[in-house]
């Protein structure tokens, strides 16, 4: 019903920048919160940043001051601008959207993208 597709991952030097994009499509009444998570080898998936439909943001301590999350609600898209990248930022980055559906009544459900690889290495 809902598909989230990430783009923008790749290989970058330490100190460099990268922008990730995520576009949602399908049967969507409304997208509430959207966020970015990441999973590094040997680690569990962790929250990087999220943003509400009203624009309130939240960041992991490890990325505060370096990453910036934003969204364009009319296009069902969310972005993650990553600056001053470090090797420890290397991970698969996943987009998540909390989507409200209507089928006689309203209900919300989380959807995940397939992930995009970000590698920070000299």
């Amino acid at each position: 019903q809902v598909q989230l597709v990430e783009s923008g991952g790749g290989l970058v030097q330490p100190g460099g920048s990268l922008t990730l994009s995520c576009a949602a499509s399908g049967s969507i009444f409304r997208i509430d919160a959207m966020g970015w998570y990441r999973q590094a080898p040997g680690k569990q998936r962790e929250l990087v940043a999220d943003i509400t439909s009203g624009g309130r943001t939240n960041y992991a301590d490890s990325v505060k001051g370096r990453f910036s999350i934003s969204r364009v609600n009319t296009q069902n898209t969310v972005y993650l601008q990553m600056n001053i990248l470090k090797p420890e930022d290397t991970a698969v980055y996943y987009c998540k959207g909390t989507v409200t559906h209507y089928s006689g009544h309203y209900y919300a459900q989380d959807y995940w993208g397939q992930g995009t690889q970000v590698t920070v290495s000299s």
Side-chain angles (χ1 to χ4, degrees), residues 16-112:
S17 298
L18 211 57
T19 300
L20 305 182
S21 301
C22 174
S25 61
S27 181
I28 300 170
F29 179 79
R30 181 182 67 245
I31 302 181
D32 301 314
M34 300 188 76
W36 290 95
Y37 292 70
R38 66 187 181 188
Q39 187 166 19
K43 291 187 175 182
Q44 293 191 316
R45 190 173 299 184
E46 64 176 356
L47 172 70
V48 177
D50 57 20
I51 183 169
T52 69
S53 60
R56 289 192 173 189
T57 59
N58 178 57
Y59 298 92
D61 288 340
S62 60
V63 306
K64 284 182 179 178
R66 299 189 298 120
F67 291 11
S68 180
I69 189 170
S70 61
R71 65 190 290 173
V72 180
N73 291 337
T74 56
Q75 298 178 9
N76 293 330
T77 57
V78 63
Y79 304 92
L80 185 67
Q81 176 66 51
M82 304 183 293
N83 300 314
I84 320 175
L85 283 161
K86 304 175 180 179
E88 51 262 45
D89 295 319
T90 296
V92 177
Y93 284 70
Y94 297 90
C95 176
K96 187 185 82 171
T98 302
V99 177
T100 294
H101 300 281
Y102 182 79
S103 57
H105 36 72
Y106 298 98
Y107 65 98
Q109 188 168 358
D110 290 341
Y111 293 89
W112 292 87

